[in-house]
Amino acid sequence: MFSAFFGHYLLNKGVVTATQLSTVLEKQGQVRLKLGTLAINDGFMNATQVDEVHELQAAMDKRFGEIAIDKGYLVDAQLMHLLKQQKAENLILAQALIDDNIMSMIDFEREISAYKEAHSLSDEQFGALKEGNVDIAIKAFLAFEKDDENQYDQYLSLFLKNVIRFIDSNVSVDRVKKVSSVSLKNAFYQHIKDDKHNYITAISGEEDVILGFAGRYADEAFTEMGDYPIDALGEFLNLHNGLFIVNMSNEGTEMELTVQEFGFDHTIKSASNLYQIPLYTTYGTLNLIVGQL
Amino acid sequence: MKGVNIQGYYLDASMKVLICDDSMTVRKKLAATVVELTGCEVVEAKDGVSAVSKYESERPDIVFMDIMMPIKNGLEATEEIIRLDENATIIMLSSVGTKANLQQALKSGAKDFIQKPFELEKLKIIFKNYGGEA
């Protein structure tokens, strides 16, 4: 999650190219942070000790941590701390960018500070982003009207979780934009209604993005728009909205869904509040629309 | 004849399963999972009217029925099938697993309810409860 959010920030800023970002995102699953580097970084070991452990490692069939503990350079708690850090997404991303000579460690740290400042991220929100806590991290990007805040926060948070769960772990969002009318290409839309409200939800995007996204959900390689990809993405929207309604019902608000629809060109207008949220995915940019009619 | 072993229960591999859902994506995913899990024959219907006629002609052992479908919804189709065969095993399948929908499903004659996305473990329990033999 952190890599997707920060990576798309670097892309929008022109610090990395789309190809570099996609290579790094793909590669980061294989990147393994070196325990020795982390141990030096945290001040647990010095470079001489790390080199010595590496040399011993080459001569015996033992792991870095085991040797360092045998030599008295690390204690168990320090090793556990380092092993946990080894999985930290922000550090993995840093190493992938540095390994590929896309940026230096100093550049990385500077961009991280600029990113926190640009999004006014609190330490808690930034920590949540690094830990993949969608509910907390997402609030930094949302700017719904006060009356809409609670429901739409929940809606968007669940939407991101469902995208991550079913389609794309590299999804991120940009700032929410309030609009009164929006013209969409390849629009999948569905109404959610309760006694007093008629909400609209929609996903749209360029054809190649829709095909990639729908294809991942259906586990098919779609090459052109047709009944099957349209059905697949419509079903994803329906599935997500269904799960949202179940959550709302558990909180005491009963809602209903209409049948999801598709239009190659579709305009949504609202006299009330309508929000557009850009979603950056592995397949390109999608728009999520939520609002009240 | 005993067939596939699911959690200590045996399924007759000659069983037939009817999947009724207007979404092609759901039908394909569920059919592939059912075939892989049980080896049973699967037939499909994409609306409530077709679900009833397929039930009459195919007499499946288990029916998975979506609620929201065109022409005739899953609740109406279930009631009609139960009138034809009061012992029909119909499992309601819906993306909206609210208490109200669960109650409606059971009232229409469905024996169980699955919230989409269906999970393999839940399907195993369904086959164990309604298609298995200890």
Side-chain angles (χ1 to χ4, degrees):
Chain A
M1 182 182 176
F2 173 84
S3 303
F5 276 70
F6 184 58
H8 281 102
Y9 165 80
L10 295 177
L11 178 68
N12 286 343
K13 213 177 158 186
V15 178
V16 298
T17 66
T19 314
Q20 283 172 328
L21 178 61
S22 97
T23 308
V24 164
L25 290 176
E26 247 173 59
K27 200 179 149 189
Q28 64 167 1
Q30 303 142 24
V31 171
R32 201 170 161 75
L33 292 167
K34 296 177 181 80
L35 276 183
T37 313
L38 291 172
I40 295 172
N41 194 40
D42 280 355
F44 297 157
M45 293 170 70
N46 60 40
T48 313
Q49 291 169 334
V50 168
D51 283 344
E52 185 191 345
V53 173
H54 280 152
E55 276 170 29
L56 288 169
Q57 236 187 324
M60 58 176 77
D61 185 24
K62 274 190 169 184
R63 292 178 177 183
F64 182 96
E66 287 175 82
I67 300 171
I69 284 176
D70 287 347
K71 297 289 290 180
Y73 297 150
L74 287 178
V75 296
D76 283 342
Q78 288 172 323
L79 178 61
M80 292 305 289
H81 172 78
L82 295 178
L83 290 172
K84 199 176 163 195
Q85 267 199 315
Q86 217 173 13
K87 292 175 189 158
E89 224 186 308
N90 57 321
L91 300 176
I92 293 172
L93 178 68
Q95 185 153 318
L97 289 165
I98 292 161
D99 284 355
D100 281 7
N101 294 319
I102 296 169
M103 59 171 58
S104 68
M105 181 53 99
I106 292 167
D107 291 338
F108 184 81
E109 281 176 6
R110 195 182 51 235
E111 291 299 346
I112 286 276
S113 300
Y115 177 71
K116 281 172 76 175
E117 202 180 316
H119 291 88
S120 308
L121 289 173
S122 66
D123 286 344
E124 189 202 9
Q125 285 166 334
F126 189 63
L129 195 59
K130 287 197 289 188
E131 287 163 13
N133 184 334
V134 175
D135 294 326
I136 295 176
I138 203 70
K139 286 186 184 292
F141 299 86
L142 307 180
F144 296 120
E145 296 285 319
K146 204 73 190 162
D147 290 347
D148 298 334
E149 213 172 56
N150 188 32
Q151 236 167 31
Y152 290 168
D153 279 5
Q154 283 190 47
Y155 186 87
L156 188 54
S157 182
L158 181 67
F159 188 84
L160 281 186
K161 286 179 193 168
N162 284 331
V163 170
I164 291 167
R165 179 176 171 197
F166 297 110
I167 300 176
D168 186 7
S169 60
N170 286 326
V171 66
S172 69
V173 296
D174 210 334
R175 287 182 190 283
V176 171
K177 197 165 88 181
K178 193 176 169 187
V179 291
S180 55
S181 162
V182 62
S183 295
L184 305 169
K185 281 177 80 176
N186 303 311
F188 298 80
Y189 54 100
Q190 187 169 38
H191 295 260
I192 300 177
K193 296 178 177 178
D194 65 17
D195 293 345
K196 295 175 190 159
H197 309 96
N198 179 9
Y199 296 100
I200 181 78
T201 64
I203 308 172
S204 83
E206 294 294 332
E207 187 176 307
D208 57 333
V209 185
I210 295 289
L211 290 175
F213 204 75
R216 182 68 188 85
Y217 182 63
D219 208 12
E220 299 277 351
F222 295 134
T223 53
E224 57 185 35
M225 285 298 264
D227 290 347
Y228 194 6
I230 289 172
D231 179 88
L233 198 40
E235 184 53 31
F236 173 72
L237 180 64
N238 181 53
L239 175 92
H240 160 68
N241 283 337
L243 292 170
F244 175 70
I245 281 186
V246 172
N247 287 354
M248 295 308 291
S249 173
N250 291 339
E251 290 178 15
T253 306
E254 297 303 329
M255 298 175 127
E256 280 182 8
L257 278 182
T258 61
V259 175
Q260 71 271 25
E261 294 175 76
F262 171 79
F264 283 104
D265 293 292
H266 184 67
T267 299
I268 300 172
K269 288 180 184 170
S270 169
S272 185
N273 292 335
L274 195 62
Y275 301 99
Q276 184 173 358
I277 304 120
L279 294 170
Y280 302 124
T281 76
T282 301
Y283 312 99
T285 304
L286 286 172
N287 278 302
L288 174 67
I289 309 295
V290 287
Q292 204 178 311
L293 299 181
Chain B
M1 189 187 84
K2 288 183 175 180
V4 188
N5 181 338
I6 295 179
Q7 296 177 342
Y9 282 68
Y10 289 91
L11 288 180
D12 183 342
S14 65
M15 260 181 50
K16 199 182 280 184
V17 172
L18 171 60
I19 295 173
C20 314
D21 199 304
D22 58 328
S23 166
M24 193 190 310
T25 311
V26 173
R27 292 199 308 272
K28 278 178 184 267
K29 279 188 176 186
L30 185 55
T33 308
V34 168
V35 168
E36 194 178 332
L37 189 65
T38 67
C40 296
E41 183 189 349
V42 173
V43 282
E44 296 179 16
K46 59 181 179 182
D47 59 60
V49 171
S50 162
V52 176
S53 67
K54 282 273 168 68
Y55 188 87
E56 276 190 290
S57 61
E58 301 286 342
R59 291 286 161 167
D61 299 277
I62 296 181
V63 180
F64 289 100
M65 181 82 77
D66 183 27
I67 293 184
M68 242 169 39
M69 286 193 292
I71 309 175
K72 182 176 283 177
N73 71 38
L75 296 169
E76 293 168 321
T78 298
E79 283 172 0
E80 212 166 308
I81 290 172
I82 293 293
R83 280 199 290 275
L84 291 168
D85 175 5
E86 60 178 4
N87 295 318
T89 300
I90 302 176
I91 313 298
M92 208 59 89
L93 190 66
S94 174
S95 58
V96 188
T98 56
K99 197 176 163 190
N101 271 354
L102 173 64
Q103 283 169 340
Q104 273 190 304
L106 296 177
K107 198 176 158 195
S108 72
K111 287 199 163 57
D112 214 323
F113 189 99
I114 296 182
Q115 160 84 48
K116 291 181 195 172
F118 60 87
E119 286 169 359
L120 192 59
E121 286 311 307
K122 179 70 182 173
L123 280 183
K124 283 182 182 173
I125 291 167
I126 293 291
F127 280 109
K128 178 179 158 184
N129 289 347
Y130 302 105
E133 185 186 317

